[in-house]
Each structure stands twice: as structure tokens, then as C-alpha cells.
Amino acid sequence: MKVTKAIIPAAGLGTRVLPASKSIPKEMLPIVDKPAIQYIVEEAVQSGITDILIITNRGKSPMEDHFDRAPELEERLLASGKTELYDEIVSITEMANIQYIRQKETKGLGHAVWCAKSFVGDDPFAVMYGDDVIISDLPACGQLCRAYEEFGLATVGMKEVTAEQILKYSSLKTEPIRDNLFRVTDMIEKPRPDQVLSLYSILGRCVLPPKIFDILENTAPGAGGEIQLTDAMLQLARTEGMIGVDYIGTRYDMGNKLGILQASVEVGLKHPEIGAELREYLKKLAKTL
Ligand code: UTP
């Protein structure tokens, strides 16, 4: 079954990037000239997604404004002959059918996903973490959607992390299928060093069947008193199995100060307008370090 729906949970508090995220949603922090959330919506559209639900909360309305028309600004751009910019600004509002729902309390990623129940209905859907921007010539979400369409099983995007990082993430037990595809048979969230199953962790994206909602409804709060999406996924992995895609692409964690800087530098270097100048600047700067 073709995957055409995606949800973007963006209702977290973003405490790791305070004070920047106090009044600006971290999903709106720019990478060069576009907010993080726009990269994610573009990736969704390039992956064949047509309907997107963004999970928001108080203070996140700049995201809604970003994907809405801006008549005054548009008029001004047209009047001053900036038609290219006008076209770009309008095209942002036409990319996909975007809807919003509020997660009224910050009860964890699992609860945020649960808020999408009526949007999802009986369809499979992609979950694109609102603070994970993945840059790739082959959209990462699409790589997962194609695997879901082939195997009909919950599919997670995974990457190898360091032995230190795995203790803060989820650790997956995997068996290779072919190329960058794996079968995931078990997983553990925030393992102790002796519990690590592999250095593969779920990062940024997954595609889930609608039955995840029945499981979430019966999932007790886990680590940190939050309803953890990984606890629900664990049940799927152990009962019917799950697919892991070691996706092609570079992931930037926009919920983390260093991740934001890495994204700016690396995307900036490839930017047609400022790339060359930034390269020269970095070369000069590197000599002084
Ligand atoms: P994080 O684990 O990064 O949580 O959430 P956070 O609260 O945003 O960040 P810190 O740890 O306080 O700095 C992963 C994704 O899940 C969303 C976040 O917006 C982010 O995209 N999320 C998290 C929700 O939508 N609701 C929640 O209750 C928790």
C-alpha cells in the first residue's frame, strides 16, 4: 500500500536549545535561508507524501504562518519586481496539504503520535521527527516508504552511532536482508552498556502501520514518565518483526546546538549564493584555529 501521509511531531519543549527556543520553535531555526521544518516538508513531498499533519503546541504558530499566504509581503515583492522571490514564497504554501493539531500537554513522542489517530485513519504513515533534518539526493522518507511498500511491516530509519551515544538512544538487534535493508527483531531504549544490542539506533524517520494506535493506547508511560513511541514499536518488532533502513543521507539534529551549527556550515557550503564565499571564509578561519 502506497504511503501518502506523514506526521511531523513538533510539540517538544526544545530545552536543549534554550534560550533560542523559548519563543521561536526549534523547528523554525534556519539552516541558511530556510527553517528546518521546510526542509522536512520538502523531503516529504519528494517522497510522494501528499498529506501532512504537524503536531504543534502553544507558541508554535510561526510554523503555521510559514506555510500560509502572506498577502502584504507578496504584494510588496511583486510591486518591487522581485518575482523570483515571490514565486518561491508562494510555492511554500502550495507544497502539500498541511494540517495542524495541538498536543495539549507535552507527554512524549508516543503521545504526540497518538494525537494523529483520526488523521491517519486506516492508512500507513510516516513519522518525521520535527527536529531531524536529513539532507540526501534520495529523500530519506522515500527510502523508508519504499521499504514499507515492499515488506508491509513497520519500518525505521536507522544509523550507527557511537558507543557513548547509544546509551542515550535506542539500540536495535538487526539481521541483514540486502544492501542497506535489515530485519529488526528486538530493541531497547536507553540501554545500559551490558544491554546494548548493536550501535544501530532509530534516527529521525519511521513508517508505521495504523495498528500502532491500539498498541499506544495500552502503553504505560516509560522513561521520564512519557509515553515512548519506542515502547510501542518494540511490541511490533517482537511480534511481527520490523524493517530497518540504514538510509542514505546526512542527518542534522536541530534539537542540539552543535547539530544546528553543522547543518548551517555543511548546507551553506553547497548553497549556490553563498557557498563559494563561505568556503573561502572557513579556509581562512581554519588557519587561525
Ligand atoms: P525530543 O526528544 O527532541 O524532545 O523530541 P524535545 O522536548 O523537543 O527536546 P529537549 O529534549 O527538551 O531539548 C523529539 C521530537 O518529538 C517531538 C519534538 O518536537 C521533536 O520533534 N515531541 C516530543 C513532541 O511532539 N511532543 C512531545 O511531547 C515530545
Side-chain angles (χ1 to χ4, degrees):
M1 187 175 184
K2 200 163 159 32
V3 184
T4 59
K5 290 181 179 173
I7 69 170
I8 305 179
L13 297 176
T15 53
R16 285 167 297 153
V17 281
L18 279 171
S21 56
K22 186 181 173 199
S23 62
I24 301 170
K26 63 178 168 178
E27 297 80 6
M28 286 301 290
L29 294 175
I31 304 177
V32 189
D33 51 4
K34 289 192 281 190
I37 189 102
Q38 188 179 332
Y39 288 89
I40 297 174
V41 169
E42 285 173 354
E43 179 195 325
V45 172
Q46 287 159 11
S47 303
I49 299 291
T50 51
D51 293 275
I52 297 172
L53 179 74
I54 303 183
I55 323 276
T56 70
N57 64 357
R58 284 170 294 282
K60 300 269 180 166
S61 56
M63 277 191 291
E64 297 183 37
D65 295 338
H66 186 69
F67 293 104
D68 195 2
R69 297 294 293 263
E72 253 181 33
L73 172 68
E74 290 167 18
E75 260 170 48
R76 181 67 62 88
L77 291 175
L78 276 184
S80 53
K82 294 183 173 156
T83 46
E84 245 178 66
L85 206 46
Y86 168 85
D87 289 342
E88 187 182 341
I89 294 295
V90 173
S91 72
I92 296 169
T93 70
E94 294 170 345
M95 278 194 288
N97 175 24
I98 304 180
Q99 304 175 41
Y100 305 86
I101 193 166
R102 281 198 183 207
Q103 182 188 19
K104 297 192 186 80
E105 289 173 88
T106 313
K107 287 190 188 167
L109 182 58
H111 179 259
V113 170
W114 189 81
C115 295
K117 190 174 191 271
S118 65
F119 166 82
V120 166
D122 291 329
D123 299 317
F125 63 105
V127 182
M128 307 175 77
Y129 298 24
D131 51 2
D132 279 322
V133 170
I134 303 175
I135 304 289
S136 177
D137 290 336
L138 200 60
C141 177
Q143 297 174 46
L144 268 66
C145 290
R146 302 302 86 79
Y148 183 94
E149 287 155 10
E150 179 178 345
F151 296 95
L153 292 174
T155 301
V156 294
M158 58 183 219
K159 282 276 165 210
E160 268 185 323
V161 299
T162 64
E164 228 171 66
Q165 287 169 326
I166 199 74
L167 309 179
K168 290 185 267 169
Y169 297 161
S170 54
S171 169
L172 305 178
K173 188 173 177 191
T174 62
E175 292 162 15
I177 300 178
R178 63 165 200 265
D179 308 324
N180 58 348
L181 291 181
F182 295 78
R183 206 165 273 285
V184 177
T185 51
D186 203 357
M187 54 194 272
I188 179 165
E189 180 70 11
K190 300 194 176 57
R192 291 192 314 260
D194 59 312
Q195 292 174 316
V196 172
L197 299 169
S198 78
L199 292 181
Y200 269 123
S201 187
I202 300 176
L203 286 185
R205 307 282 179 264
C206 56
V207 178
L208 298 171
K211 73 169 75 127
I212 194 81
F213 292 105
D214 298 333
I215 303 174
L216 277 174
E217 260 161 45
N218 296 308
T219 302
E226 294 186 339
I227 297 172
Q228 300 291 340
L229 183 60
T230 40
D231 287 344
M233 285 176 167
L234 170 66
Q235 279 203 39
L236 282 180
R238 285 192 181 157
T239 51
E240 53 191 58
M242 211 160 70
I243 302 297
V245 181
D246 183 358
Y247 56 79
I248 302 160
T250 310
R251 166 188 168 263
Y252 298 103
D253 182 359
M254 295 296 288
N256 162 317
K257 296 177 184 98
L258 186 61
I260 296 170
L261 289 175
Q262 286 166 332
S264 291
V265 172
E266 292 183 25
V267 175
L269 282 170
K270 289 190 209 135
H271 195 281
E273 204 179 307
I274 54 139
E277 247 178 288
L278 179 62
R279 183 172 306 275
E280 286 316 305
Y281 165 73
L282 288 176
K283 276 186 189 164
K284 244 194 222 163
L285 183 68
K287 284 189 195 142
T288 69
L289 301 177

Coordinates of all heavy atoms in Angstrom, one line a residue, residues 170-231:
S170 N 18.0 4.5 21.3 CA 17.6 3.1 21.2 C 18.6 2.3 20.6 O 19.3 2.7 19.7 CB 16.2 3.0 20.5 OG 16.4 3.6 19.2
S171 N 18.7 1.0 21.0 CA 19.7 0.1 20.3 C 18.9 -1.0 19.7 O 18.0 -1.6 20.3 CB 20.6 -0.4 21.4 OG 21.4 -1.5 21.0
L172 N 19.2 -1.4 18.4 CA 18.4 -2.3 17.7 C 19.2 -3.6 17.5 O 20.4 -3.6 17.2 CB 18.1 -1.7 16.3 CG 17.4 -0.4 16.2 CD1 17.2 0.1 14.8 CD2 16.1 -0.4 17.0
K173 N 18.4 -4.8 17.5 CA 19.0 -6.1 17.1 C 18.6 -6.3 15.7 O 17.4 -6.3 15.3 CB 18.4 -7.1 18.0 CG 19.1 -8.5 17.8 CD 18.5 -9.4 18.9 CE 19.1 -10.8 18.6 NZ 18.4 -11.8 19.4
T174 N 19.6 -6.4 14.8 CA 19.3 -6.5 13.4 C 19.9 -7.7 12.7 O 20.9 -8.3 13.1 CB 19.9 -5.2 12.7 OG1 21.3 -5.3 12.8 CG2 19.4 -4.0 13.2
E175 N 19.3 -8.1 11.6 CA 19.8 -9.2 10.7 C 19.8 -8.6 9.3 O 18.7 -8.1 8.9 CB 18.9 -10.4 10.7 CG 18.9 -11.2 12.0 CD 17.7 -12.1 12.1 OE1 17.0 -12.3 11.1 OE2 17.4 -12.5 13.2
P176 N 20.9 -8.7 8.5 CA 20.8 -8.1 7.2 C 19.8 -8.8 6.2 O 19.7 -10.0 6.3 CB 22.3 -8.3 6.7 CG 22.9 -9.2 7.6 CD 22.1 -9.3 8.9
I177 N 19.2 -8.0 5.4 CA 18.3 -8.6 4.3 C 19.1 -8.4 3.0 O 19.5 -9.4 2.4 CB 17.0 -7.9 4.2 CG1 16.2 -8.0 5.5 CG2 16.2 -8.4 3.1 CD1 14.8 -7.3 5.6
R178 N 19.3 -7.2 2.6 CA 20.2 -6.9 1.4 C 20.6 -5.4 1.5 O 19.9 -4.6 2.1 CB 19.4 -7.2 0.1 CG 18.2 -6.4 -0.1 CD 17.6 -6.5 -1.5 NE 16.8 -5.3 -1.7 CZ 15.5 -5.3 -1.6 NH1 14.8 -6.4 -1.2 NH2 14.8 -4.3 -1.8
D179 N 21.6 -5.1 0.8 CA 22.1 -3.7 0.8 C 22.0 -3.0 2.1 O 22.5 -3.5 3.1 CB 21.4 -2.9 -0.3 CG 21.4 -3.6 -1.7 OD1 22.4 -4.3 -1.9 OD2 20.4 -3.6 -2.4
N180 N 21.2 -1.9 2.2 CA 21.1 -1.2 3.4 C 19.7 -1.6 4.1 O 19.3 -0.8 5.0 CB 21.1 0.3 3.2 CG 20.1 0.8 2.2 OD1 19.4 0.0 1.5 ND2 19.9 2.1 2.1
L181 N 19.2 -2.7 3.8 CA 17.9 -3.2 4.5 C 18.2 -4.2 5.5 O 19.0 -5.2 5.3 CB 17.0 -3.7 3.4 CG 16.3 -2.8 2.4 CD1 15.4 -3.5 1.5 CD2 15.6 -1.7 3.1
F182 N 17.5 -4.1 6.7 CA 17.7 -5.1 7.7 C 16.4 -5.5 8.3 O 15.4 -4.8 8.2 CB 18.6 -4.4 8.9 CG 20.0 -4.1 8.4 CD1 20.2 -2.9 7.7 CD2 21.0 -4.9 8.8 CE1 21.5 -2.6 7.3 CE2 22.3 -4.6 8.4 CZ 22.6 -3.4 7.6
R183 N 16.4 -6.7 9.0 CA 15.2 -7.1 9.8 C 15.6 -6.7 11.2 O 16.7 -6.9 11.7 CB 15.0 -8.6 9.6 CG 13.7 -9.1 9.9 CD 13.5 -10.5 9.4 NE 13.1 -10.6 8.0 CZ 11.9 -10.3 7.5 NH1 11.0 -9.9 8.3 NH2 11.7 -10.4 6.2
V184 N 14.6 -6.0 11.9 CA 14.8 -5.6 13.3 C 14.0 -6.6 14.2 O 12.8 -6.6 14.0 CB 14.4 -4.2 13.5 CG1 14.6 -3.8 15.0 CG2 15.2 -3.2 12.6
T185 N 14.7 -7.3 15.0 CA 13.9 -8.3 15.8 C 13.7 -7.9 17.3 O 12.9 -8.5 18.0 CB 14.6 -9.7 15.7 OG1 16.0 -9.5 16.1 CG2 14.5 -10.3 14.3
D186 N 14.5 -7.0 17.7 CA 14.4 -6.6 19.1 C 15.0 -5.2 19.3 O 15.8 -4.7 18.4 CB 15.1 -7.6 20.0 CG 14.6 -7.5 21.5 OD1 13.7 -6.7 21.7 OD2 15.1 -8.3 22.3
M187 N 14.7 -4.5 20.3 CA 15.3 -3.2 20.5 C 15.2 -2.8 22.0 O 14.3 -3.4 22.8 CB 14.5 -2.1 19.7 CG 13.0 -2.1 19.9 SD 12.3 -1.1 18.6 CE 12.4 0.5 19.3
I188 N 16.0 -1.9 22.4 CA 15.9 -1.5 23.8 C 16.2 0.0 23.9 O 17.1 0.5 23.1 CB 16.9 -2.3 24.7 CG1 16.9 -1.8 26.2 CG2 18.4 -2.2 24.2 CD1 17.5 -2.7 27.2
E189 N 15.4 0.7 24.7 CA 15.6 2.2 24.8 C 16.5 2.5 25.9 O 16.5 1.9 26.9 CB 14.2 2.8 25.0 CG 14.1 4.3 25.2 CD 14.3 5.0 23.8 OE1 14.3 4.4 22.8 OE2 14.5 6.2 23.9
K190 N 17.4 3.4 25.6 CA 18.4 3.9 26.6 C 19.1 2.7 27.4 O 18.9 2.5 28.6 CB 17.8 4.9 27.6 CG 17.3 6.1 26.9 CD 17.0 7.2 27.9 CE 16.6 8.5 27.2 NZ 15.4 8.4 26.3
P191 N 19.8 1.8 26.6 CA 20.3 0.6 27.3 C 21.5 0.9 28.2 O 22.2 1.9 28.1 CB 20.9 -0.2 26.1 CG 21.2 0.8 25.1 CD 20.2 1.9 25.2
R192 N 21.7 0.0 29.2 CA 23.0 0.1 30.0 C 24.0 -0.5 29.1 O 23.7 -1.3 28.2 CB 22.8 -0.8 31.3 CG 21.8 -0.2 32.3 CD 22.0 -1.0 33.6 NE 22.1 -2.4 33.4 CZ 21.1 -3.3 33.6 NH1 19.9 -2.9 34.0 NH2 21.3 -4.6 33.4
P193 N 25.3 -0.2 29.4 CA 26.4 -0.8 28.5 C 26.3 -2.3 28.2 O 26.5 -2.8 27.1 CB 27.7 -0.4 29.2 CG 27.3 0.8 30.0 CD 25.9 0.6 30.4
D194 N 25.8 -3.0 29.2 CA 25.8 -4.5 29.1 C 24.5 -4.9 28.3 O 24.3 -6.1 28.0 CB 25.8 -5.2 30.4 CG 24.7 -4.8 31.3 OD1 24.5 -3.6 31.5 OD2 24.0 -5.7 31.9
Q195 N 23.6 -4.0 28.0 CA 22.4 -4.3 27.3 C 22.4 -4.0 25.8 O 21.4 -4.2 25.1 CB 21.2 -3.6 28.0 CG 20.8 -4.0 29.4 CD 19.8 -3.2 30.0 OE1 19.8 -1.9 29.8 NE2 18.8 -3.8 30.6
V196 N 23.5 -3.3 25.4 CA 23.5 -2.8 24.0 C 23.4 -4.0 23.0 O 24.1 -4.9 23.1 CB 24.8 -2.0 23.8 CG1 25.0 -1.6 22.3 CG2 24.8 -0.7 24.6
L197 N 22.4 -3.8 22.1 CA 22.2 -4.9 21.1 C 23.0 -4.7 19.8 O 23.5 -5.6 19.2 CB 20.7 -5.0 20.7 CG 19.7 -5.3 21.9 CD1 18.3 -5.0 21.4 CD2 19.9 -6.7 22.3
S198 N 23.2 -3.4 19.5 CA 24.1 -3.0 18.4 C 24.2 -1.5 18.5 O 23.5 -0.9 19.3 CB 23.5 -3.4 17.0 OG 22.5 -2.5 16.6
L199 N 25.1 -0.9 17.6 CA 25.2 0.5 17.7 C 24.2 1.2 16.7 O 24.2 2.4 16.6 CB 26.7 0.9 17.3 CG 27.7 0.6 18.3 CD1 29.1 1.0 17.9 CD2 27.4 1.1 19.7
Y200 N 23.4 0.4 16.1 CA 22.3 0.9 15.3 C 21.2 1.5 16.1 O 20.7 0.8 17.0 CB 21.7 -0.2 14.3 CG 22.4 -0.3 13.0 CD1 22.9 -1.5 12.6 CD2 22.5 0.8 12.2 CE1 23.6 -1.6 11.4 CE2 23.1 0.7 10.9 CZ 23.7 -0.5 10.5 OH 24.3 -0.6 9.3
S201 N 20.8 2.7 15.8 CA 19.7 3.4 16.6 C 18.7 3.9 15.6 O 19.0 4.2 14.4 CB 20.3 4.5 17.4 OG 19.3 5.0 18.2
I202 N 17.4 4.1 16.1 CA 16.4 4.7 15.2 C 16.7 6.2 15.2 O 16.7 6.8 16.2 CB 15.0 4.4 15.8 CG1 14.7 2.9 15.9 CG2 13.9 5.2 15.0 CD1 13.4 2.6 16.5
L203 N 16.8 6.7 14.0 CA 17.1 8.2 14.0 C 16.2 8.9 12.9 O 16.4 8.6 11.7 CB 18.6 8.4 13.6 CG 19.6 8.2 14.7 CD1 21.0 8.6 14.3 CD2 19.2 8.9 16.0
G204 N 15.4 9.7 13.4 CA 14.7 10.7 12.5 C 13.4 10.3 11.8 O 12.6 11.2 11.6
R205 N 13.3 9.1 11.3 CA 12.2 8.8 10.5 C 11.7 7.4 10.8 O 12.5 6.5 11.0 CB 12.5 8.8 9.0 CG 13.2 10.1 8.5 CD 12.2 11.2 8.3 NE 12.8 12.4 7.8 CZ 13.2 13.4 8.6 NH1 13.0 13.3 9.9 NH2 13.8 14.5 8.1
C206 N 10.4 7.1 10.6 CA 9.9 5.8 10.6 C 8.6 5.8 9.8 O 8.0 6.8 9.6 CB 9.7 5.2 12.0 SG 8.7 6.1 13.1
V207 N 8.1 4.6 9.4 CA 6.9 4.4 8.7 C 6.1 3.4 9.5 O 6.7 2.3 9.7 CB 7.0 4.0 7.2 CG1 5.6 3.8 6.6 CG2 7.8 5.1 6.5
L208 N 4.9 3.7 9.9 CA 4.2 2.8 10.8 C 2.8 2.4 10.3 O 2.2 3.1 9.6 CB 4.0 3.5 12.2 CG 5.3 3.9 12.9 CD1 5.0 4.8 14.1 CD2 6.0 2.6 13.3
P209 N 2.4 1.2 10.7 CA 1.0 0.7 10.3 C 0.0 1.4 11.3 O 0.4 1.7 12.4 CB 1.1 -0.8 10.5 CG 2.1 -1.0 11.5 CD 3.1 0.1 11.4
P210 N -1.2 1.5 10.9 CA -2.2 2.2 11.8 C -2.4 1.4 13.1 O -2.9 2.0 14.1 CB -3.5 2.2 11.0 CG -3.3 1.3 9.8 CD -1.8 1.2 9.6
K211 N -2.1 0.1 13.1 CA -2.3 -0.7 14.4 C -1.4 -0.2 15.5 O -1.7 -0.5 16.7 CB -2.1 -2.2 14.1 CG -0.7 -2.6 14.0 CD -0.5 -4.1 14.0 CE -1.0 -4.8 12.7 NZ 0.0 -5.7 12.1
I212 N -0.5 0.7 15.2 CA 0.4 1.3 16.3 C -0.5 2.0 17.3 O -0.2 2.1 18.5 CB 1.5 2.2 15.7 CG1 2.6 2.5 16.8 CG2 0.9 3.5 15.2 CD1 3.6 1.5 16.9
F213 N -1.7 2.5 16.9 CA -2.5 3.3 17.8 C -3.1 2.4 18.9 O -3.2 2.8 20.0 CB -3.6 4.0 17.0 CG -3.0 5.1 16.2 CD1 -2.9 5.0 14.9 CD2 -2.5 6.3 16.8 CE1 -2.3 6.0 14.1 CE2 -2.0 7.3 16.1 CZ -1.8 7.1 14.7
D214 N -3.5 1.1 18.5 CA -4.0 0.2 19.5 C -3.0 -0.1 20.6 O -3.2 -0.2 21.8 CB -4.4 -1.1 18.9 CG -5.5 -0.9 17.8 OD1 -6.3 0.0 18.0 OD2 -5.6 -1.7 16.9
I215 N -1.7 -0.2 20.1 CA -0.6 -0.5 21.0 C -0.3 0.7 21.9 O -0.2 0.6 23.1 CB 0.7 -0.9 20.2 CG1 0.4 -2.1 19.3 CG2 1.8 -1.2 21.1 CD1 1.5 -2.5 18.4
L216 N -0.3 1.9 21.3 CA 0.0 3.1 22.1 C -1.0 3.3 23.2 O -0.7 3.7 24.3 CB 0.0 4.3 21.1 CG 1.3 4.6 20.4 CD1 1.0 5.8 19.4 CD2 2.4 5.0 21.3
E217 N -2.3 3.0 22.9 CA -3.4 3.2 23.8 C -3.1 2.3 25.1 O -3.5 2.7 26.2 CB -4.7 2.8 23.2 CG -5.5 4.0 22.8 CD -6.6 3.7 21.8 OE1 -7.3 2.8 22.0 OE2 -6.6 4.5 20.8
N218 N -2.4 1.2 24.9 CA -2.2 0.3 26.0 C -0.7 0.4 26.5 O -0.3 -0.5 27.1 CB -2.5 -1.2 25.6 CG -4.0 -1.3 25.3 OD1 -4.8 -0.9 26.1 ND2 -4.3 -1.8 24.1
T219 N 0.0 1.4 26.1 CA 1.4 1.6 26.5 C 1.4 2.5 27.8 O 1.0 3.6 27.7 CB 2.2 2.2 25.4 OG1 2.1 1.3 24.2 CG2 3.7 2.3 25.8
A220 N 2.0 1.9 28.8 CA 2.1 2.7 30.1 C 3.3 3.7 29.9 O 4.2 3.4 29.1 CB 2.4 1.8 31.2
P221 N 3.3 4.8 30.6 CA 4.4 5.8 30.5 C 5.7 5.1 30.8 O 5.8 4.3 31.7 CB 4.0 6.8 31.5 CG 2.6 6.7 31.7 CD 2.2 5.3 31.5
G222 N 6.7 5.3 30.0 CA 8.0 4.7 30.2 C 9.0 5.7 30.7 O 8.7 6.5 31.6
A223 N 10.3 5.7 30.2 CA 11.3 6.6 30.6 C 10.8 8.0 30.8 O 10.2 8.5 29.9 CB 12.5 6.5 29.7
G224 N 11.1 8.7 31.9 CA 10.8 10.1 32.1 C 9.3 10.3 32.2 O 8.9 11.5 32.1
G225 N 8.5 9.3 32.5 CA 7.1 9.4 32.7 C 6.4 9.8 31.4 O 5.2 10.1 31.4
E226 N 7.1 9.7 30.3 CA 6.5 10.0 29.0 C 6.1 8.7 28.2 O 6.7 7.6 28.5 CB 7.5 10.8 28.1 CG 7.8 12.1 28.6 CD 8.6 13.0 27.6 OE1 9.3 12.3 26.8 OE2 8.7 14.2 27.8
I227 N 5.0 8.8 27.4 CA 4.6 7.7 26.6 C 5.6 7.6 25.5 O 5.7 8.5 24.6 CB 3.2 7.8 26.1 CG1 2.2 7.8 27.3 CG2 2.8 6.7 25.2 CD1 0.8 8.2 27.0
Q228 N 6.4 6.5 25.5 CA 7.5 6.4 24.5 C 7.1 5.6 23.2 O 6.5 4.5 23.3 CB 8.7 5.7 25.1 CG 9.3 6.4 26.4 CD 10.0 7.7 26.0 OE1 10.4 7.9 24.9 NE2 10.1 8.5 27.0
L229 N 7.3 6.3 22.1 CA 7.0 5.6 20.8 C 7.7 4.3 20.7 O 7.2 3.3 20.2 CB 7.3 6.5 19.7 CG 6.9 6.0 18.3 CD1 5.4 5.8 18.1 CD2 7.4 7.0 17.2
T230 N 9.0 4.3 21.2 CA 9.8 3.1 21.0 C 9.3 1.9 21.8 O 9.4 0.8 21.4 CB 11.3 3.4 21.4 OG1 11.3 4.2 22.6 CG2 12.1 4.0 20.4
D231 N 8.6 2.2 22.9 CA 8.0 1.1 23.7 C 6.9 0.4 22.8 O 6.8 -0.8 22.8 CB 7.3 1.6 25.0 CG 8.3 2.0 26.0 OD1 9.5 1.6 25.9 OD2 8.0 2.7 27.0

